Amino acid sequence: MSLQLKINTDLKEAMKAKQEPLLSTLRLLKADIQYELTKNGAQELSDEQIIVLIKRGYAKRTDAIQMYEKANRTDLAEKEKGEAEILKSYLPPDVPEDQIIAAVEKFVIELGASGPKDIGKVMGKVMAEFKGANIDGSKVSAIVKSKLS
């Protein structure tokens, strides 16, 4: 079952069960998907495209959580945390750090990278290697910088 169908099915079930936090989060996600479909003129999005949309929504929520916590609005921060958890449940599992380190080491050798000027090249190769997987770019960046420093 594609991710788009799973989201639609879960949305219908949330409507029937009147699960409010899940329902509102899935409605927002569905709106993002519909916008992307309209923008591209496509009938359906690939799972990779939907994962990008989910990651974007997750990042928005985590930024909002930080802002609300700085403003001492714990009620709104909790709401955002709940939505972030719902979105995270649709993402594939995180890539383990040891796999990231192995890929970084492989590409450092392959590209002959030697210093900070090569960080972008190595980053590009590592991110392409894990395309479609749930990988944290800041974690990859930190590993690449530590290897090339």
Side-chain angles (χ1 to χ4, degrees), residues 12 14 19 22 26 33 40 44 47 50 59 62 75 80-82 86 95 113 119 124 128 130 139 141 143:
K12 289 175 190 173
Q19 297 172 315
L22 177 63
L26 290 178
I33 292 170
N40 295 338
E44 193 172 326
D47 283 354
I50 293 176
T62 54
D75 55 330
E80 294 291 334
K81 284 179 185 176
I86 291 168
V95 176
I119 289 174
F130 294 107
K139 186 186 286 185
S141 177
I143 292 170

PDB file of all heavy atoms in Angstrom, residues 12 14 19 22 26 33 40 44 47 50 59 62 75 80-82 86 95 113 119 124 128 130 139 141 143:
ATOM      1  N   LYS A  12      -9.756   8.588   7.031  1.00  0.00           N
ATOM      2  CA  LYS A  12     -11.151   8.128   7.100  1.00  0.00           C
ATOM      3  C   LYS A  12     -11.448   7.475   8.446  1.00  0.00           C
ATOM      4  O   LYS A  12     -12.496   7.719   9.053  1.00  0.00           O
ATOM      5  CB  LYS A  12     -11.443   7.146   5.965  1.00  0.00           C
ATOM      6  CG  LYS A  12     -11.505   7.803   4.606  1.00  0.00           C
ATOM      7  CD  LYS A  12     -11.674   6.766   3.518  1.00  0.00           C
ATOM      8  CE  LYS A  12     -11.488   7.399   2.141  1.00  0.00           C
ATOM      9  NZ  LYS A  12     -11.469   6.405   1.065  1.00  0.00           N
ATOM     10  N   ALA A  14      -9.883   8.007  11.255  1.00  0.00           N
ATOM     11  CA  ALA A  14      -9.852   9.039  12.299  1.00  0.00           C
ATOM     12  C   ALA A  14     -11.155   9.830  12.310  1.00  0.00           C
ATOM     13  O   ALA A  14     -11.632  10.238  13.367  1.00  0.00           O
ATOM     14  CB  ALA A  14      -8.659   9.968  12.084  1.00  0.00           C
ATOM     15  N   GLN A  19     -11.097  10.995  16.312  1.00  0.00           N
ATOM     16  CA  GLN A  19      -9.817  11.172  16.996  1.00  0.00           C
ATOM     17  C   GLN A  19      -9.260  12.536  16.582  1.00  0.00           C
ATOM     18  O   GLN A  19      -8.567  12.651  15.575  1.00  0.00           O
ATOM     19  CB  GLN A  19      -8.841  10.065  16.601  1.00  0.00           C
ATOM     20  CG  GLN A  19      -9.299   8.688  17.010  1.00  0.00           C
ATOM     21  CD  GLN A  19      -8.402   7.615  16.427  1.00  0.00           C
ATOM     22  OE1 GLN A  19      -8.053   7.658  15.261  1.00  0.00           O
ATOM     23  NE2 GLN A  19      -8.052   6.647  17.264  1.00  0.00           N
ATOM     24  N   LEU A  22      -5.288  13.451  15.742  1.00  0.00           N
ATOM     25  CA  LEU A  22      -4.900  12.692  14.553  1.00  0.00           C
ATOM     26  C   LEU A  22      -5.608  13.233  13.319  1.00  0.00           C
ATOM     27  O   LEU A  22      -4.993  13.433  12.266  1.00  0.00           O
ATOM     28  CB  LEU A  22      -5.213  11.207  14.743  1.00  0.00           C
ATOM     29  CG  LEU A  22      -4.932  10.274  13.564  1.00  0.00           C
ATOM     30  CD1 LEU A  22      -3.452  10.259  13.226  1.00  0.00           C
ATOM     31  CD2 LEU A  22      -5.424   8.872  13.863  1.00  0.00           C
ATOM     32  N   LEU A  26      -3.732  14.886  10.076  1.00  0.00           N
ATOM     33  CA  LEU A  26      -3.843  14.220   8.772  1.00  0.00           C
ATOM     34  C   LEU A  26      -4.524  15.119   7.741  1.00  0.00           C
ATOM     35  O   LEU A  26      -4.202  15.057   6.553  1.00  0.00           O
ATOM     36  CB  LEU A  26      -4.577  12.886   8.906  1.00  0.00           C
ATOM     37  CG  LEU A  26      -3.796  11.789   9.629  1.00  0.00           C
ATOM     38  CD1 LEU A  26      -4.627  10.528   9.745  1.00  0.00           C
ATOM     39  CD2 LEU A  26      -2.478  11.496   8.933  1.00  0.00           C
ATOM     40  N   ILE A  33      -0.470  17.443   0.472  1.00  0.00           N
ATOM     41  CA  ILE A  33      -0.396  16.503  -0.645  1.00  0.00           C
ATOM     42  C   ILE A  33      -1.217  17.024  -1.818  1.00  0.00           C
ATOM     43  O   ILE A  33      -0.769  17.012  -2.964  1.00  0.00           O
ATOM     44  CB  ILE A  33      -0.862  15.094  -0.206  1.00  0.00           C
ATOM     45  CG1 ILE A  33       0.141  14.486   0.771  1.00  0.00           C
ATOM     46  CG2 ILE A  33      -1.058  14.182  -1.420  1.00  0.00           C
ATOM     47  CD1 ILE A  33      -0.331  13.211   1.451  1.00  0.00           C
ATOM     48  N   ASN A  40       1.966  20.075  -9.414  1.00  0.00           N
ATOM     49  CA  ASN A  40       2.654  19.234 -10.401  1.00  0.00           C
ATOM     50  C   ASN A  40       1.727  18.725 -11.498  1.00  0.00           C
ATOM     51  O   ASN A  40       2.195  18.207 -12.504  1.00  0.00           O
ATOM     52  CB  ASN A  40       3.306  18.030  -9.715  1.00  0.00           C
ATOM     53  CG  ASN A  40       4.405  18.443  -8.773  1.00  0.00           C
ATOM     54  OD1 ASN A  40       4.965  19.519  -8.904  1.00  0.00           O
ATOM     55  ND2 ASN A  40       4.707  17.592  -7.818  1.00  0.00           N
ATOM     56  N   GLU A  44      -0.922  11.140  -8.617  1.00  0.00           N
ATOM     57  CA  GLU A  44      -0.469  10.535  -7.371  1.00  0.00           C
ATOM     58  C   GLU A  44       0.994  10.909  -7.158  1.00  0.00           C
ATOM     59  O   GLU A  44       1.750  11.085  -8.111  1.00  0.00           O
ATOM     60  CB  GLU A  44      -0.610   9.011  -7.462  1.00  0.00           C
ATOM     61  CG  GLU A  44      -0.459   8.311  -6.148  1.00  0.00           C
ATOM     62  CD  GLU A  44      -0.795   6.824  -6.235  1.00  0.00           C
ATOM     63  OE1 GLU A  44      -1.679   6.451  -7.019  1.00  0.00           O
ATOM     64  OE2 GLU A  44      -0.146   6.071  -5.509  1.00  0.00           O
ATOM     65  N   ASP A  47       6.066   7.738  -2.901  1.00  0.00           N
ATOM     66  CA  ASP A  47       6.300   7.696  -1.459  1.00  0.00           C
ATOM     67  C   ASP A  47       7.426   8.640  -1.059  1.00  0.00           C
ATOM     68  O   ASP A  47       7.366   9.276  -0.009  1.00  0.00           O
ATOM     69  CB  ASP A  47       6.614   6.267  -1.005  1.00  0.00           C
ATOM     70  CG  ASP A  47       5.369   5.395  -0.932  1.00  0.00           C
ATOM     71  OD1 ASP A  47       4.245   5.911  -1.113  1.00  0.00           O
ATOM     72  OD2 ASP A  47       5.521   4.178  -0.687  1.00  0.00           O
ATOM     73  N   ILE A  50       6.087  12.147  -0.793  1.00  0.00           N
ATOM     74  CA  ILE A  50       5.254  12.300   0.407  1.00  0.00           C
ATOM     75  C   ILE A  50       6.125  12.350   1.657  1.00  0.00           C
ATOM     76  O   ILE A  50       5.859  13.130   2.577  1.00  0.00           O
ATOM     77  CB  ILE A  50       4.198  11.181   0.479  1.00  0.00           C
ATOM     78  CG1 ILE A  50       3.204  11.370  -0.667  1.00  0.00           C
ATOM     79  CG2 ILE A  50       3.487  11.180   1.826  1.00  0.00           C
ATOM     80  CD1 ILE A  50       2.162  10.313  -0.796  1.00  0.00           C
ATOM     81  N   ALA A  59       9.451  19.226  10.535  1.00  0.00           N
ATOM     82  CA  ALA A  59      10.406  20.307  10.843  1.00  0.00           C
ATOM     83  C   ALA A  59       9.672  21.567  11.303  1.00  0.00           C
ATOM     84  O   ALA A  59      10.115  22.245  12.238  1.00  0.00           O
ATOM     85  CB  ALA A  59      11.265  20.607   9.622  1.00  0.00           C
ATOM     86  N   THR A  62       8.651  21.000  14.926  1.00  0.00           N
ATOM     87  CA  THR A  62       9.755  21.082  15.887  1.00  0.00           C
ATOM     88  C   THR A  62      10.206  22.530  16.077  1.00  0.00           C
ATOM     89  O   THR A  62      10.547  22.924  17.200  1.00  0.00           O
ATOM     90  CB  THR A  62      10.941  20.191  15.472  1.00  0.00           C
ATOM     91  OG1 THR A  62      11.340  20.514  14.138  1.00  0.00           O
ATOM     92  CG2 THR A  62      10.595  18.725  15.563  1.00  0.00           C
ATOM     93  N   ASP A  75       1.082  24.758  26.651  1.00  0.00           N
ATOM     94  CA  ASP A  75      -0.117  24.165  26.081  1.00  0.00           C
ATOM     95  C   ASP A  75       0.009  24.018  24.566  1.00  0.00           C
ATOM     96  O   ASP A  75      -0.295  22.966  23.993  1.00  0.00           O
ATOM     97  CB  ASP A  75      -1.361  24.988  26.443  1.00  0.00           C
ATOM     98  CG  ASP A  75      -1.224  26.460  26.036  1.00  0.00           C
ATOM     99  OD1 ASP A  75      -0.086  26.984  26.013  1.00  0.00           O
ATOM    100  OD2 ASP A  75      -2.262  27.082  25.751  1.00  0.00           O
ATOM    101  N   GLU A  80       1.777  20.833  19.512  1.00  0.00           N
ATOM    102  CA  GLU A  80       2.730  20.655  18.411  1.00  0.00           C
ATOM    103  C   GLU A  80       3.510  19.346  18.566  1.00  0.00           C
ATOM    104  O   GLU A  80       3.784  18.671  17.578  1.00  0.00           O
ATOM    105  CB  GLU A  80       3.699  21.839  18.333  1.00  0.00           C
ATOM    106  CG  GLU A  80       3.055  23.151  17.966  1.00  0.00           C
ATOM    107  CD  GLU A  80       2.561  23.210  16.534  1.00  0.00           C
ATOM    108  OE1 GLU A  80       3.093  22.505  15.666  1.00  0.00           O
ATOM    109  OE2 GLU A  80       1.619  23.980  16.279  1.00  0.00           O
ATOM    110  N   LYS A  81       3.860  18.987  19.796  1.00  0.00           N
ATOM    111  CA  LYS A  81       4.571  17.722  20.032  1.00  0.00           C
ATOM    112  C   LYS A  81       3.718  16.538  19.612  1.00  0.00           C
ATOM    113  O   LYS A  81       4.210  15.580  19.022  1.00  0.00           O
ATOM    114  CB  LYS A  81       4.960  17.584  21.513  1.00  0.00           C
ATOM    115  CG  LYS A  81       6.129  18.427  21.912  1.00  0.00           C
ATOM    116  CD  LYS A  81       6.441  18.268  23.389  1.00  0.00           C
ATOM    117  CE  LYS A  81       7.542  19.223  23.816  1.00  0.00           C
ATOM    118  NZ  LYS A  81       7.826  19.171  25.251  1.00  0.00           N
ATOM    119  N   GLY A  82       2.430  16.605  19.919  1.00  0.00           N
ATOM    120  CA  GLY A  82       1.516  15.537  19.514  1.00  0.00           C
ATOM    121  C   GLY A  82       1.438  15.408  18.009  1.00  0.00           C
ATOM    122  O   GLY A  82       1.482  14.291  17.458  1.00  0.00           O
ATOM    123  N   ILE A  86       2.706  12.246  15.508  1.00  0.00           N
ATOM    124  CA  ILE A  86       1.839  11.633  14.492  1.00  0.00           C
ATOM    125  C   ILE A  86       2.566  11.615  13.149  1.00  0.00           C
ATOM    126  O   ILE A  86       2.589  10.586  12.461  1.00  0.00           O
ATOM    127  CB  ILE A  86       0.497  12.379  14.390  1.00  0.00           C
ATOM    128  CG1 ILE A  86      -0.331  12.144  15.656  1.00  0.00           C
ATOM    129  CG2 ILE A  86      -0.276  11.948  13.147  1.00  0.00           C
ATOM    130  CD1 ILE A  86      -1.541  13.049  15.801  1.00  0.00           C
ATOM    131  N   VAL A  95      17.979   6.287   9.956  1.00  0.00           N
ATOM    132  CA  VAL A  95      19.164   5.543   9.531  1.00  0.00           C
ATOM    133  C   VAL A  95      20.120   5.500  10.727  1.00  0.00           C
ATOM    134  O   VAL A  95      20.418   6.542  11.319  1.00  0.00           O
ATOM    135  CB  VAL A  95      19.838   6.229   8.323  1.00  0.00           C
ATOM    136  CG1 VAL A  95      21.121   5.520   7.944  1.00  0.00           C
ATOM    137  CG2 VAL A  95      18.887   6.286   7.143  1.00  0.00           C
ATOM    138  N   ALA A 113      38.678  13.118  -0.422  1.00  0.00           N
ATOM    139  CA  ALA A 113      38.422  14.330   0.358  1.00  0.00           C
ATOM    140  C   ALA A 113      39.471  14.462   1.452  1.00  0.00           C
ATOM    141  O   ALA A 113      39.834  13.478   2.105  1.00  0.00           O
ATOM    142  CB  ALA A 113      37.027  14.273   0.963  1.00  0.00           C
ATOM    143  N   ILE A 119      33.667  19.196   2.167  1.00  0.00           N
ATOM    144  CA  ILE A 119      32.483  18.814   2.956  1.00  0.00           C
ATOM    145  C   ILE A 119      31.246  18.705   2.073  1.00  0.00           C
ATOM    146  O   ILE A 119      30.482  17.740   2.172  1.00  0.00           O
ATOM    147  CB  ILE A 119      32.261  19.812   4.120  1.00  0.00           C
ATOM    148  CG1 ILE A 119      33.340  19.623   5.180  1.00  0.00           C
ATOM    149  CG2 ILE A 119      30.875  19.631   4.739  1.00  0.00           C
ATOM    150  CD1 ILE A 119      33.312  20.644   6.304  1.00  0.00           C
ATOM    151  N   GLY A 124      26.849  15.674  -0.268  1.00  0.00           N
ATOM    152  CA  GLY A 124      25.983  15.377  -1.408  1.00  0.00           C
ATOM    153  C   GLY A 124      25.913  13.894  -1.708  1.00  0.00           C
ATOM    154  O   GLY A 124      24.844  13.339  -1.950  1.00  0.00           O
ATOM    155  N   ALA A 128      22.630  11.489  -1.135  1.00  0.00           N
ATOM    156  CA  ALA A 128      22.111  10.763  -2.297  1.00  0.00           C
ATOM    157  C   ALA A 128      22.049   9.266  -2.015  1.00  0.00           C
ATOM    158  O   ALA A 128      21.120   8.580  -2.455  1.00  0.00           O
ATOM    159  CB  ALA A 128      22.985  11.035  -3.518  1.00  0.00           C
ATOM    160  N   PHE A 130      21.377   7.824   0.767  1.00  0.00           N
ATOM    161  CA  PHE A 130      20.249   7.512   1.641  1.00  0.00           C
ATOM    162  C   PHE A 130      18.961   8.211   1.201  1.00  0.00           C
ATOM    163  O   PHE A 130      18.072   8.441   2.014  1.00  0.00           O
ATOM    164  CB  PHE A 130      20.573   7.885   3.087  1.00  0.00           C
ATOM    165  CG  PHE A 130      21.665   7.054   3.689  1.00  0.00           C
ATOM    166  CD1 PHE A 130      22.926   7.584   3.896  1.00  0.00           C
ATOM    167  CD2 PHE A 130      21.438   5.733   4.017  1.00  0.00           C
ATOM    168  CE1 PHE A 130      23.939   6.820   4.446  1.00  0.00           C
ATOM    169  CE2 PHE A 130      22.438   4.959   4.572  1.00  0.00           C
ATOM    170  CZ  PHE A 130      23.696   5.502   4.783  1.00  0.00           C
ATOM    171  N   LYS A 139      22.950  15.736  11.443  1.00  0.00           N
ATOM    172  CA  LYS A 139      23.776  14.655  11.983  1.00  0.00           C
ATOM    173  C   LYS A 139      24.851  14.265  10.962  1.00  0.00           C
ATOM    174  O   LYS A 139      26.012  14.078  11.303  1.00  0.00           O
ATOM    175  CB  LYS A 139      22.907  13.436  12.317  1.00  0.00           C
ATOM    176  CG  LYS A 139      23.666  12.318  13.012  1.00  0.00           C
ATOM    177  CD  LYS A 139      22.829  11.069  13.192  1.00  0.00           C
ATOM    178  CE  LYS A 139      21.809  11.209  14.266  1.00  0.00           C
ATOM    179  NZ  LYS A 139      21.075   9.944  14.526  1.00  0.00           N
ATOM    180  N   SER A 141      26.047  16.171   8.595  1.00  0.00           N
ATOM    181  CA  SER A 141      26.975  17.294   8.518  1.00  0.00           C
ATOM    182  C   SER A 141      27.998  17.231   9.641  1.00  0.00           C
ATOM    183  O   SER A 141      29.201  17.439   9.413  1.00  0.00           O
ATOM    184  CB  SER A 141      26.200  18.603   8.581  1.00  0.00           C
ATOM    185  OG  SER A 141      27.068  19.699   8.589  1.00  0.00           O
ATOM    186  N   ILE A 143      29.027  14.608  11.326  1.00  0.00           N
ATOM    187  CA  ILE A 143      29.928  13.463  11.119  1.00  0.00           C
ATOM    188  C   ILE A 143      30.955  13.796  10.037  1.00  0.00           C
ATOM    189  O   ILE A 143      32.143  13.528  10.198  1.00  0.00           O
ATOM    190  CB  ILE A 143      29.115  12.191  10.765  1.00  0.00           C
ATOM    191  CG1 ILE A 143      28.285  11.745  11.982  1.00  0.00           C
ATOM    192  CG2 ILE A 143      30.040  11.071  10.319  1.00  0.00           C
ATOM    193  CD1 ILE A 143      27.272  10.660  11.682  1.00  0.00           C
TER     194      ILE A 143
END
